[in-house]
Amino acid sequence: MPQNKPQDIALLPSHLADQIAAGEVVERPASVVKELLENALDSGATQIDIQIEEGGEKRIVVSDNGAGIRQSQLQLAVSRHATSKIQTAKDLTAVATLGFRGEALASIGSVSRLTLTSRFKEEEAAWQLRGEGEGNWSEPVPVAHPQGTQVDVQDLFFNTPARKKFLRAARTEFMHIDQLVKRVMLSRPDVTIKLTHNQKVMRHVQAAPDDAALLQRLKQLMGGPFVEQSLALEFEAQDIRLSGWAAQATFNRSQTDMQYVFVNGRIVRDRLLSYAVKQAYADVLYHGRHPAYVLFLEIPHELVDVNVHPAKYEVRFANGRWVYDFLRRSVREAVTRPVGKAGIASGRFEATTPNESAYQAAMQFQIRDTSNENVYGVNEPVPAYAMEPGEQLIRQFQAAQAESSAQIDAARSATQQQHPLGYAKAQIHGVFILAENEQGLVLVDMHAAHERIVYERMKQQWTQDRLVSQPLLVPIVVSLEASQIAIWDEYRDELDKLGFEAEPFGPEQLKLTRVPTLLAKSDVAHLVNDMIADLAVAGETRLVEEKINQILSTMACHGSVRANRHLTVDEMNALLRDMEATESSAQCNHGRPTWVQLSMEQLDALFMRGQ
C-alpha cells in the first residue's frame, strides 16, 4: 500500500476551521432552527416567528421580539466563541441559558448565506450585516426593523456539497424541524410561536397566561385524547422539582413518539431519564407498548453538566442515581394512584440521596414476614366457608358435589371426539376460557388467542391483495396533526389495500368512509393513530411492505375480542376450534402464550393426591 507523505503541521484556515466546527453544530436544517430558537429564547423573546422554505435547505428565517444586539456588538456576534452568556470557567459549571458556546451564528454563517438584522432595545435604529460563507462579513448598515432580531439563512451548505448531499427530501427535513419546534412549544408555554412552511402556517400557539390556556395549548400539541387521559403531577424533593403530565397506562403508544422530558427548560435525550419513566410504568403497562408524557425537571444548574456535546441534547447529572430515583418514584406515584383520587398528583419526598445501604434497608422494610399473620387479614371478616361446618354448609356442599358430578359426566362424553384443546366448560372473570381435554385442564387467554387468529387471517388476505372492507354508514372523523395527514397521503395506496378509505375533513382532520370488515366494531380512531406512528418510523425511503406485518399485528390487537366480554359456550368452543386451525396460535402477536395445559398429574399434585 502507498505510504502517505508526512506533512508539516500548520494552522487551518479560519474558514475551514469554521466549517469543521459547523459540522458539530449544524447537522441539518433542524439544527439551524434549534440554535436560532435558543438564541431567541435567551434574549427574552415572547414572540417568535419561524419561516421555512423547501424543508429549510432554501431558506430559514427566525424573527423574535427579544432584547436585540447592540450595533457595536453585531460583528462580534458572528465571530467564533463570542458570547454574552458565560465569562469565566465558574460560569460554565452553572449554565442557566440554553446557549452558551458562542459558535452558533459563526458556524451557520460559514455554510450558508446569512443576513443578521437586529435592533437593540435601547437604540433607535436597527442594523444589518451579511455573510457569504467563509467568514466574509459585510459592514453593518442601518435598516428599518422593530426591536428584536431576525436571522435569515439561505442556501444552506451551498459551499459544502459533501454535506449537502446527505440532506433528505424537503418533506423529511421539514418533519425534523416540525418536531423540534413542537418540543420548543411544549418547553416554553409563555412564548407565542408560529411556524410556516412554504408560506403555509403549520403550527401557531399563543402564550398561555393561565391554566385553561395552558391545557388548550397542550391539546393543540399533544391532541385531545392525551389531555383527557393524562394526569397532572407536581413533586419535589429538596431542590429538585418535577411537573407536567403523564398519561394513564390505558393511553399508550406503539412507538416512543409522545415522550418529552425537559431539564431546566432544555430539550434533552437522556437514557437515564427515559429508563426511570419506563420503570415507573412497570406492572401497569403491557409489553411492547410505550407510555406518553410531557415532564419538566427543575434542578440546580450547578448539579447539571450541559457542556457534554455541541448539540447540547445530552446532559450529565452530579448524582444520576438521585435524579433517577426521584423521577421514577414521582411518576409511579401518579400513574398507580387509585381511580377515586382526583386532582393533581403531588407530593414531597425526603431529600436524602440514595445509596446502597439505603436501598437495602428499603427493600428489607418492604418484605413482610406473614408466617404468623391471619391469612384473611387483620381487619377482614372470615368467609362463611371457613367457619365451623353446620347444617347449611353441609347441604350446600352436597348440592355442589352433585352438580360437579353431572358436569364431569358431560365433559367425559364431550371429550370423546378428542379435539386437542378440548371443550369449553366456563369463562373466568371474562378473561380466561376453562376447557377440558383428554389430558386434563386447558386455560386459554381469549384475547391473546383471538388476536393471533385475526392477525393470521389478515396476513392471508394481504397476501392475496384483497383485504375485505365495508363502507361506514356514519363516517368516522379522526383529529390528526398536519404531519400525520401528510404521512397518510404518502401511503394512501398501501392503506387502500388494507381496506381504508379516507378524505381530508378540515386542516387537521381525516374522514374515514371505509374500514376493514374485521375492524368495523373496533376503536378505529385509536388504530389510525397507531398505524401512522408505525408508518412514520418506517421512513419515506423504505417500502411500507417492510412494516406491513407490524401494522397488521396492531390492527389485529384492536380487532380481537376484549377481556370482560362474556361469551356463550358455543362462542368459546368456536374460538377453540379456530385456534386449532390457525398457524402459530400457541403464541399471541407479542410472543406471549395463548394457552396452557395442566395434566391430571399436575392437578393431582396441586392437591397432594396420592401422597
Side-chain angles (χ1 to χ4, degrees):
M1 294 189 57
Q3 298 294 321
N4 292 330
K5 183 180 179 180
Q7 300 289 329
D8 292 336
I9 297 174
L11 289 174
L12 289 171
S14 60
H15 73 274
L16 184 56
D18 286 343
Q19 290 181 1
I20 293 173
E24 297 180 327
V25 177
V26 186
E27 178 186 0
R28 63 196 326 156
S31 308
V32 175
V33 176
K34 176 180 182 294
E35 296 294 334
L36 298 183
L37 279 176
E38 289 182 349
N39 282 347
L41 293 170
D42 285 340
S43 74
T46 58
Q47 294 184 356
I48 302 176
D49 182 77
I50 309 154
Q51 300 176 50
I52 307 297
E53 293 184 21
E54 296 182 10
E57 180 182 350
K58 180 179 180 181
R59 193 178 188 191
I60 298 170
V61 182
V62 176
S63 308
D64 67 66
N65 66 343
I69 305 171
R70 297 180 186 272
Q71 174 197 353
S72 59
Q73 295 188 327
L74 211 58
Q75 287 275 18
L76 194 59
V78 295
S79 302
R80 288 187 65 199
H81 308 307
T83 180
S84 62
K85 300 166 185 177
I86 59 173
Q87 303 296 327
T88 67
K90 183 178 180 181
D91 295 335
L92 196 59
T93 63
V95 177
T97 54
L98 297 175
F100 58 90
R101 291 176 177 272
E103 57 186 0
L105 289 178
S107 296
I108 296 168
S110 70
V111 292
S112 69
R113 295 184 171 92
L114 188 148
T115 301
L116 175 62
T117 307
S118 189
R119 177 181 171 184
F120 186 62
K121 60 182 180 180
E122 297 177 1
E123 295 181 345
E124 296 182 357
W127 294 83
Q128 183 181 89
L129 58 77
R130 298 174 181 270
E132 290 287 330
E134 300 185 0
N136 298 323
W137 295 100
S138 67
E139 291 294 324
V141 296
V143 294
H145 191 272
Q147 178 188 315
T149 301
Q150 181 184 85
V151 183
D152 189 339
V153 179
Q154 299 186 40
D155 302 326
L156 187 62
F157 300 138
F158 79 99
N159 57 347
T160 53
R163 297 284 307 282
K164 189 172 184 177
K165 71 179 182 180
F166 284 100
L167 292 180
R168 306 289 295 277
R171 176 185 292 179
T172 301
E173 295 298 341
F174 179 74
M175 286 179 63
H176 285 280
I177 294 173
D178 179 67
Q179 289 304 306
L180 167 73
V181 173
K182 178 180 177 179
R183 289 184 176 94
V184 174
M185 288 175 169
L186 288 169
S187 69
R188 290 298 300 270
D190 58 321
V191 180
T192 296
I193 303 176
K194 181 169 71 172
L195 172 64
T196 304
H197 187 217
N198 296 337
Q199 290 77 52
K200 180 181 179 181
V201 176
M202 308 302 292
R203 293 186 185 272
H204 191 188
V205 293
Q206 299 292 330
D210 51 41
D211 291 344
L214 181 60
L215 285 178
Q216 181 59 36
R217 179 166 171 145
L218 185 67
K219 184 176 180 179
Q220 277 186 260
L221 297 171
M222 298 293 289
F226 174 84
V227 174
E228 294 166 4
Q229 300 182 58
S230 64
L231 304 164
L233 52 88
E234 292 181 1
F235 289 90
E236 58 182 309
Q238 196 174 1
D239 294 329
I240 187 172
R241 183 174 181 271
L242 179 72
S243 60
W245 298 268
Q248 300 180 61
T250 51
F251 182 89
N252 50 71
R253 308 286 292 176
S254 62
Q255 308 294 336
T256 58
D257 59 342
M258 292 184 71
Q259 299 182 353
Y260 302 94
V261 179
F262 305 94
V263 177
N264 294 341
R266 183 184 304 278
I267 302 169
V268 298
R269 298 170 183 162
D270 188 274
R271 292 183 179 180
L272 176 75
L273 301 182
S274 298
Y275 187 68
V277 180
K278 181 180 179 181
Q279 291 300 305
Y281 276 89
D283 301 330
V284 297
L285 194 67
Y286 56 89
H287 177 71
R289 304 294 296 183
H290 302 276
Y293 48 83
V294 178
L295 302 174
F296 302 90
L297 191 64
E298 299 174 32
I299 189 169
H301 296 290
E302 62 271 17
L303 300 180
V304 185
D305 181 8
V306 298
N307 189 26
V308 178
H309 188 273
K312 302 187 292 294
Y313 279 121
E314 302 175 23
V315 295
R316 288 197 189 101
F317 300 101
N319 194 324
R321 183 67 179 270
W322 174 41
V323 175
Y324 163 83
D325 184 70
F326 169 74
L327 182 58
R328 180 188 60 80
R329 291 174 64 190
S330 300
V331 177
R332 184 165 182 79
E333 179 75 15
V335 299
T336 61
R337 64 197 311 229
V339 177
K341 288 188 178 181
I344 298 176
S346 61
R348 181 174 179 84
F349 297 118
E350 293 298 324
T352 55
T353 302
N355 53 50
E356 285 304 316
S357 60
Y359 272 91
Q360 291 173 0
M363 291 303 295
Q364 291 173 359
F365 178 79
Q366 294 173 15
I367 299 174
R368 185 180 63 182
D369 182 4
T370 60
S371 57
N372 295 321
E373 293 183 12
N374 186 319
V375 295
Y376 299 113
V378 176
N379 297 318
E380 297 178 12
V382 179
Y385 55 79
M387 298 178 182
E388 290 295 325
E391 183 64 23
Q392 183 178 2
L393 183 61
I394 294 175
R395 290 179 180 177
Q396 291 175 348
F397 175 78
Q398 291 173 340
Q401 188 177 36
E403 182 179 355
S404 177
S405 297
Q407 291 178 347
I408 292 173
D409 291 338
R412 286 174 178 170
S413 175
T415 54
Q416 290 178 358
Q417 298 184 31
Q418 298 195 5
H419 281 292
L421 295 180
Y423 284 82
K425 307 306 296 180
Q427 188 178 19
I428 303 175
H429 292 293
V431 176
F432 300 105
I433 294 174
L434 193 65
E436 181 185 17
N437 65 357
E438 190 174 21
Q439 290 75 36
L441 180 70
V442 174
L443 196 61
V444 177
D445 181 337
M446 68 179 192
H447 168 71
H450 192 234
E451 183 179 340
R452 169 59 72 174
I453 293 169
V454 173
Y455 176 48
E456 293 296 331
R457 287 177 179 173
M458 285 183 170
K459 286 200 299 184
Q460 292 176 5
Q461 290 173 333
W462 169 255
T463 302
Q464 299 168 6
D465 197 24
R466 58 176 185 83
L467 192 70
V468 179
S469 64
Q470 69 180 48
L472 295 173
L473 183 63
V474 179
I476 298 174
V477 177
V478 183
S479 296
L480 299 169
E481 296 181 4
S483 60
Q484 292 177 300
I485 294 178
I487 293 172
W488 185 279
D489 288 339
E490 184 174 358
Y491 294 103
R492 181 178 296 275
D493 291 341
E494 287 80 6
L495 291 165
D496 285 346
K497 292 179 182 179
L498 288 173
F500 288 90
E501 286 184 5
E503 59 188 42
F505 189 71
E508 294 186 347
Q509 288 182 321
L510 207 62
K511 182 171 70 174
L512 292 169
T513 57
R514 181 181 290 269
V515 299
T517 302
L518 293 172
L519 304 178
K521 297 182 180 180
S522 65
D523 186 352
V524 177
H526 191 178
L527 169 61
V528 166
N529 276 277
D530 280 351
M531 290 173 63
I532 290 175
D534 284 341
L535 290 171
V537 171
E540 68 176 74
T541 60
R542 296 176 58 188
L543 296 175
V544 73
E545 282 79 5
E546 295 177 6
K547 294 286 291 182
I548 205 65
N549 280 348
Q550 294 182 31
I551 296 174
L552 290 175
S553 177
T554 300
M555 293 171 60
C557 181
H558 287 271
S560 54
V561 64
R562 295 297 179 185
N564 299 318
R565 176 182 168 184
H566 294 285
L567 305 179
T568 66
V569 173
D570 289 341
E571 288 174 331
M572 288 186 281
N573 281 323
L575 179 61
L576 296 177
R577 301 293 81 80
D578 282 341
M579 290 176 63
E580 291 170 349
T582 302
E583 294 181 358
S584 304
S585 65
Q587 295 86 31
C588 76
N589 306 349
H590 313 290
R592 297 188 295 265
T594 59
W595 65 282
V596 293
Q597 172 80 62
L598 291 177
S599 66
M600 289 303 299
E601 291 77 14
Q602 290 172 306
L603 293 173
D604 287 343
L606 289 175
F607 298 95
M608 303 178 68
R609 289 173 58 87
Q611 297 184 21

